[in-house]
Amino acid sequence: MSTPVITEPASNPAAEPAVVTGAPTAAQRVTSFMPVIALVALLAALTIADPDFLTQRSLTAAVRTSAPLVVLAAGATLVVLCGGIDLSIAALCSLSTVFFAMWLPDLGGLTILVAVAAAGAIGAVQGIAHVVLRIPSFVVTLGGMSIFSAVALVISDAGPIRVIDRDATGWLNLYVAGYLPMSFFVALLVVAVISLIIKLTPLESFVRATGYSESAARLAGTPVDAVKVAAFTVSGACAGLAAVMLASRNFSGSPTMADNLLLPAVAAIVVGGTAITGGHGSLWRSLAGALVVTLLRVGLPIVGVPSAWEQILYGAIIVAAVALTLDRSKVLIIK
Amino acid sequence: MTSVTTNLQDGPAPVNALEVRGLVKHYPGVKALDGVDLVVRQNEVLGLAGENGAGKSTLLKALVGLVRPDAGEIWVRGEKVKLRSVVDAADHGIGMVFQEQSLVPNLTAAENIVLGSEGAGVRRGIYRWDTMRKLAQEQLDKIGSHIDPLARTDSLSFADRQMVEIAKVLRIEERTSNPPVIILDEPTSVLESAEIETLFTQVRRLREFASVVFVSHRLDEVLDVCDRVSVLRGGQSVGEVPTAGAEPADLHRMMIGSTGSDDHYHEGLAEHSDEPARPRLVVKSMSGSTFRDVDLEVRAGEIVGIVGVHGSGREDVCRALFGAEPTLSGEVTLDGEKLDLSGTRGAVASGVGYVPAERKIEGMVGPMSVADNMMLTKQKARCTGPMVVPKKQATLVDQWIERLSIRTPHRGTQIGRLSGGNQQKVVLARWLVAGDIRLLLLDHPTRGLDIGARSEVYRLMRELANSGVATVLLADSLEEAIGMSDRIIVMNDGRATKEVSCPSGGKPTPLDLVKEMV
């Protein structure tokens, strides 16, 4: 098609400024670095409270603990970026630890792949239910959460299943270069690979357009439904991988093993600065958020806060983080 | 009470029923009002003319307290006022008959008339039906209407409902001892010609005891019923004309500005070949939830406008052709091939493009960059294999920024920071970057744009048509539909009822179309 250049100047250029002013404000810039600032501040505070904290041993232990949370939050971040939420991740993760422990004797080393694939498939089913039946994602995954917990209880006879064969996951307890726990390395790899795939392909604009404005994305002809199902699939698969990490660390699978990770995972996402309304954010942010949450978790006993207070803290930081990151002036209706 | 006041040389005369001085209102990216002045004298009908986006609606909203101006003054009968709400405005005797009717359909006419100003109609929280009916009847008598006050509002004709609205607005007389100022916003847009006459009689009657501000797209009507006309353009007052002896063309020239050429719609650019082009889009008895048995044919290089009143179903037809609205039956072919309309993906793959009316919500993704918005649909054009190639994208996007003179500091700038016209050009470019566009569906492509930007969109439409693109246009106004289209389809209650040929040099008038629309 040969469209000639339009040379005629606008007849009334003064009436319409070409660009509306709006460089990011100082507050916005601080918000965007918030997770890293929080991480450093927290490390400093904990070191002051207990100078022994800043040792290789305790830091290694901290990142090792954080690995399943990082993976769980990374997967769910994708769903949040698409404008939805996946509340089933923790329950699906628990169910997957049961799968893993049950299948390990028969499948051996393959169990890892099979468990991740099974969890991914379950995630996909939730995604399909969301887009085909047009049910809000939080309802689908809330239902999923309840169902997965119950299934896990039923098939495990409501008790832990011991992992006898420790060879299949023994490698997860090794260290890369002597210091970096393998499980955390895998978590980093997951974040890096997913981020890279999104960054280098049209997926980034699909995901962001879907999250910012689903109707605009749909009317631009982008594959909104496929992108959403993919996000739920990855979220499910990540829950499966987190389950493998948990089972290898605890040498067992249990129907409630990961249940207390839902709030920390959501906290990691919002503390990282990913907008709960969709569109804005990244998996790297959730990595930083997960580290903040983990430091809080291991740090509370150091400063003498009883662990029963932990849940109060998660609740408070989720609300506070959303209050800080959500530009409420632009959101007309808060549901 | 005397009719038109006779003072000719009015200074800062307190006799003015309403006076607006230097009113300014900013919206993000747009200066809706840029120092508007307006004088409404006692017992006169003042016309307010201006194109879409000239600032009429904002001005009217400021006059009834729905919009708070950033600067400027409003004087009512020589007294400076601040209008914070509709009630405030009513206390000063200003009332408006809204474009979209504000009556509650399942209440009676009487209930609607006194709604919000029940007065003696309610005692101790209980409706006094007799008093209420009496109050309503008084209002109806004022305007000489014979509507039964006990009729349910939704059983009344559109014209009758408008009378009820006027009767309702006149209740503001109870709040002030002064003669009221009544604003009529596009009162004729959905009336038949007989009804329009009734309305005009009504307006002339209102002048006996009130001042009227009359807003209409139809310049002949404005000249017919008003004493004076004030013209707005780009948020500024560009002049006042007494209607005696004025021609619609004079007003139109003022509305679009002296800098605009007479060929506002770039008709000179339209190419005409003697042999008719092959039909590109063929729609055979397409039905959906809001339209039935629609037949439509658009040839390559042709612009076909669809006009119809609110509820005619034309928007849904447009969306259905893009697969964004379900079709129940019918056959749609593009260049002889069946078009898959089960979703938007099929239409996009076949070279169909759609520019939605709600640009900010449906057209663009505000926080994303110009480049991402432009490349959102035709991803293949910026990719090699599955990967986005930044260099490829930069070249292509910059090329289109230049071709369409999109004013943006950079391709990476957030589209939300551009002005409306430039945003719209990016949305249009989305369908052009791959060079595979065959059919363009434009749903109010110039909504909210200023005159300069609109002119550029018109020119682009012409150029696309000349290159063989078939276009379906849902225009912002009848004038625009007539100016841009080669043919016009009139839709009525979900059916295509009339086809009007619209060649350059043989254009129908808006009134010709209105007759078919209602």
Side-chain angles (χ1 to χ4, degrees), chain A residues 6 20 22 200 205 213 220-221, chain B residues 344-345 361 377 382 388 405 417:
Chain A
I6 295 172
V20 183
L200 295 180
S205 39
S213 172
Chain B
T344 55
R345 304 270 294 156
I361 303 164
T377 304
R382 65 168 172 174
V388 173
S405 335
R417 296 203 186 139

Side-chain angles (χ1 to χ4, degrees), chain A residues 39-134:
Chain A
L39 194 57
V40 173
L42 211 54
L43 260 181
L46 286 175
T47 310
I48 292 165
D50 177 6
D52 286 342
F53 182 76
L54 204 63
T55 61
Q56 182 234 321
R57 208 177 124 259
S58 55
L59 285 181
T60 303
V63 294
R64 201 180 142 201
T65 320
S66 75
L69 184 62
V70 170
V71 175
L72 217 51
T77 303
L78 270 182
V79 177
V80 173
L81 284 177
C82 287
I85 184 116
D86 189 347
L87 297 175
S88 72
I89 43 170
L92 182 53
C93 185
S94 298
L95 174 62
S96 301
T97 66
V98 174
F99 282 158
F100 181 78
M102 285 174 73
W103 295 340
L104 192 60
D106 296 330
L107 297 174
L110 261 179
T111 320
I112 297 179
L113 288 179
V114 175
V116 170
I122 293 173
V125 169
Q126 292 193 97
I128 290 167
H130 166 52
V131 302
V132 174
L133 304 178
R134 308 181 68 81

Side-chain angles (χ1 to χ4, degrees), chain A residues 158-217:
Chain A
I161 300 174
R162 282 173 56 82
V163 171
I164 315 283
D165 172 14
R166 294 182 182 180
D167 297 340
T169 55
W171 59 275
L172 269 173
N173 296 324
L174 298 177
Y175 289 83
V176 178
Y179 298 111
L180 190 64
M182 180 63 88
S183 55
F184 187 68
F185 178 72
V186 170
L188 282 182
L189 211 61
V190 166
V191 172
V193 168
I194 298 177
S195 296
L196 213 62
I197 291 174
I198 292 175
K199 191 91 202 159
L200 295 180
T201 64
L203 275 175
E204 180 171 45
S205 39
F206 290 164
V207 169
R208 292 183 67 206
T210 304
Y212 278 128
S213 172
E214 192 177 322
S215 54

Side-chain angles (χ1 to χ4, degrees), chain A residues 182-272:
Chain A
M182 180 63 88
S183 55
F184 187 68
F185 178 72
V186 170
L188 282 182
L189 211 61
V190 166
V191 172
V193 168
I194 298 177
S195 296
L196 213 62
I197 291 174
I198 292 175
K199 191 91 202 159
L200 295 180
T201 64
L203 275 175
E204 180 171 45
S205 39
F206 290 164
V207 169
R208 292 183 67 206
T210 304
Y212 278 128
S213 172
E214 192 177 322
S215 54
R218 228 174 257 284
L219 290 174
T222 65
V224 172
D225 290 345
V227 166
K228 282 181 157 185
V229 172
F232 276 97
T233 309
V234 173
S235 182
C238 281
L241 183 60
V244 172
M245 290 174 167
L246 283 173
S248 77
R249 205 171 64 192
N250 297 323
F251 305 115
S252 70
S254 140
T256 56
M257 184 173 277
D259 284 5
N260 60 352
L261 284 183
L262 175 61
L263 227 47
V266 175
I269 294 170
V270 296
V271 166

Side-chain angles (χ1 to χ4, degrees), chain B residues 158-222:
Chain B
F158 202 95
D160 281 347
R161 284 195 300 233
Q162 204 152 35
M163 292 303 143
V164 174
E165 289 242 25
I166 294 173
K168 177 184 168 77
V169 163
L170 284 175
R171 285 282 293 168
I172 60 173
E173 280 188 301
E174 310 302 315
R175 293 166 174 269
T176 165
S177 52
N178 294 310
V181 178
I182 305 295
I183 300 168
L184 301 171
D185 186 13
E186 299 280 353
T188 58
S189 54
V190 268
L191 296 185
E192 289 170 29
S193 43
E195 295 173 326
I196 290 177
E197 257 330 298
T198 319
L199 178 79
F200 283 4
T201 316
Q202 200 53 63
V203 171
R204 291 186 189 107
R205 191 198 289 256
L206 280 176
R207 179 165 55 192
E208 300 298 316
F209 59 93
S211 304
V212 178
V213 179
F214 184 92
V215 183
S216 174
H217 267 110
R218 300 186 204 153
L219 299 179
D220 44 351
E221 288 176 3
V222 171

